Every structure is written in C-alpha cells, then in structure tokens.
Amino acid sequence: MAGDDENLIERLRKAGFSRAAIRAAWPSWWSEEAGETPSGRAELRFALARRLGLEPKPLLGERVEFVWNDEARFKHLSTHDDAQKAALTSFGMSVGRLLLRATPSGPIDPIAAEALRDAIMAGSPFVDLGSLLGTCWALRIPVIHLRVFPLEAKSMHAMVVGIDGRFAILLGRDAAYPAPVAFTLAHELGHVMLNHLADAPALIDLEDPALARDGDEQEDEADRFALTLLTGSPEPDIQTNIDHFNAPTLAAAVLRATGEYGVEPGTLALCLAHGRSLWPVAMSALGFIYGERKPAWREVNGIADGELDWDLLGDEAAHYLRNVMIGDNV
Ligand SMILES: [Zn+2]
C-alpha cells in the first residue's frame, strides 16, 4: 500500500508539516505488511495524529484537522497563516505533553528573577546556560532543543507550552555559542514565572526576543525578567574604558570584567553590544570568549536526555521524542 502512504504524506505536507516532522513522527514498527491491513493503517494514523497534534478520527478519512487552532499566543507575528500557526501549536503541544509525561510533576510557584538569581549564584560565579537548564529541570520544567521543526521554514525561535498547570520549554533556533540561548531560555522562563500562559495553552516567540522590538508588554516584561536573572539588573549598565571595540578587544574586556559583574562573559558581551550597534562585533567576540564553537543544542538536549524518565513514555513515544531531539543531521 505504498500509494496509501504517499497519499497520507501528501495530505500532511499540504497541511504545512515539514518532511522532517512527518519522518520523525512515522512509527518505527511501520512496514509494508502493516500497511496491508486496515488495522495497521488505522494504527499508523492514530500514531501520527498523537505525535503531530491532529484529531485522530478525521485522519482516518485522510482529513487533517489540528487539535489546537488559534488558542496559542504568537509574538512578533509576521507572515504566518492560520494553518501554519495551528501546525506549530499542535506539534508543540504534543511534544510538550510527552516531555511532561517523562518529568516528575510538582506545583510551580512563581519565583521572582532576583530570587532565582540568588539561588543560582549561591553555587555558581554567574548565571549561564548550564545553571539555567539545571534550574528549569529542578523546577520540573523540561527544556529541549527541537532538532525537527514542524514547518519547512524553520521559523520559530522558542515556545512555552502549558498543560494542567505545568510547563515545558521548546527552543527552536540554535546558536554556535551558549550566551544567546541562555538569554532565550531566561526569557521563556520569564513567560512562565510572570504567568503569561494564564489564558493561552502556548506562547510562541517566532523571532529572537533579544532583537525584536515591537512594543509588546509581555515581551518587555520577559526581557526584563531575563536580564535581571542573568545580570542582576533589568537594565544592566556595563561600564568600560574602551570606546572602540573589535571582537578580540571586546572579548578580552568582558573576560576581565566577568568576576566584577557576576555575569557570564558571553552574556556580558551581548549586554555591552545591546543598544550600541555593536551586535556583529559581539557575535564574533563570542568566538574569542569560548575558544571553540559549542552548538547549544548539544548541551540542552544532553541534559534533557539525562533528566527525562524515558521509561515512563513507552517505546514508541520515546522513539518519537528522541527523533525530535536528535534530528536528521547529528
Ligand atoms: Zn517572548
């Protein structure tokens, strides 16, 4: 029944799903023999529906209906049509549900950025990506980096999903160095702690919140939360006695100042660059600060792999989640 598969894939593609997402969601048990029985074909559709966030019954009749449609809140919305928004939301909710199933549950009380920073600084010289990830997992907020994107264009920076009073963070765009991802994670944690998901099941930052400025109050609040958590101030004032930076001098300056400010050097470089039109210099200074490229997704998903209780998922769901966390090109 190869034709049957192709027809189904075609329907999912028309609904907006990327080939990678369909491939990741395709069950490992699928075979030509399975496709020869009505029950096998039905099981395939039920599995795909669960994983991609689709209504199962319509999919039996080759109709793609999303479980979630316009309930999520999108930030920095540009050109996405409703079907793409529904695909992003439904995929994210289904991945978030799996993450929460494999994470111990517990109540989440809102914690102020200052208190979180104090708790981290009790055991670290600064707040960095690693300590932020440890904090999220300690708060029972799973965090992964999506290596498979629901849409063909990789147009999502990060997403928070809320299910039954619990939260999961899905990071979208990778960076070669940890500091930009630390900012994104701190911003998403801000959305959780500031109760921005009180009336929406998911909140999706399509663009980089560090660069997007569109007068959205929740975005400003989450930025201030992130900066307070990372630097101790919502408006960090980093002084320097050098007027003109290039990448090596900026790197050297922040490496010298990191102890004084209690701010991770890469984050310090980004703070210095912000508002001074030094963004490209800061991005290339990260190479000097870290010495080597360190794709953040490896750290994010490496920690998630150790924290998730895979046994709680069952083989098929675990297979899907691993696909989403590893992607096609390791
Ligand atoms: Zn945001």
Side-chain angles (χ1 to χ4, degrees), residues 114-180:
E114 292 84 354
L116 267 181
R117 177 172 171 83
D118 288 348
I120 293 172
M121 294 292 282
S124 310
F126 39 63
V127 178
D128 62 2
L129 179 60
S131 55
L132 271 181
L133 288 165
T135 300
C136 287
W137 283 100
L139 293 168
R140 296 168 176 177
I141 301 171
V143 183
I144 63 164
H145 193 283
L146 292 177
R147 298 290 294 162
V148 168
F149 290 84
L151 305 176
E152 209 66 75
K154 298 182 180 181
S155 51
M156 184 193 77
H157 198 79
M159 171 174 186
V160 190
V161 306
I163 295 167
D164 301 331
R166 304 178 62 203
F167 303 94
I169 296 174
L170 311 177
L171 301 172
R173 216 160 293 164
D174 193 27
Y177 305 106

Side-chain angles (χ1 to χ4, degrees), residues 238-242 244-261 263-266 268-270 272 281-282 284-291:
I238 313 291
Q239 299 295 333
T240 163
N241 53 12
I242 309 175
H244 300 288
F245 288 108
N246 58 27
T249 56
L250 177 58
V254 296
L255 285 167
R256 272 197 306 275
T258 188
E260 179 193 339
Y261 286 98
V263 178
E264 190 268 338
L268 205 49
L270 298 183
L272 253 176
V281 178
S284 68
L286 295 180
F288 292 94
I289 292 166
Y290 296 108

Side-chain angles (χ1 to χ4, degrees), residues 75-76 187-188 191 203 205 209 218-219 222:
K75 302 294 188 183
H76 328 294
H187 174 102
E188 301 308 321
H191 282 312
L203 196 153
D205 280 310
Q218 287 191 340
E219 286 303 286

Side-chain angles (χ1 to χ4, degrees), residues 158-230:
M159 171 174 186
V160 190
V161 306
I163 295 167
D164 301 331
R166 304 178 62 203
F167 303 94
I169 296 174
L170 311 177
L171 301 172
R173 216 160 293 164
D174 193 27
Y177 305 106
V181 179
F183 180 82
T184 300
L185 178 54
H187 174 102
E188 301 308 321
L189 188 58
H191 282 312
V192 172
M193 293 301 174
L194 297 163
N195 207 22
H196 291 169
L197 282 98
D199 55 2
L203 196 153
I204 294 150
D205 280 310
L206 288 170
E207 302 297 334
D208 185 347
L211 300 177
R213 282 283 160 275
D214 49 13
D216 180 314
E217 197 176 317
Q218 287 191 340
E219 286 303 286
D220 290 344
E221 283 177 13
D223 280 348
R224 293 171 71 82
F225 182 99
L227 286 168
T228 304
L229 177 51
L230 292 168

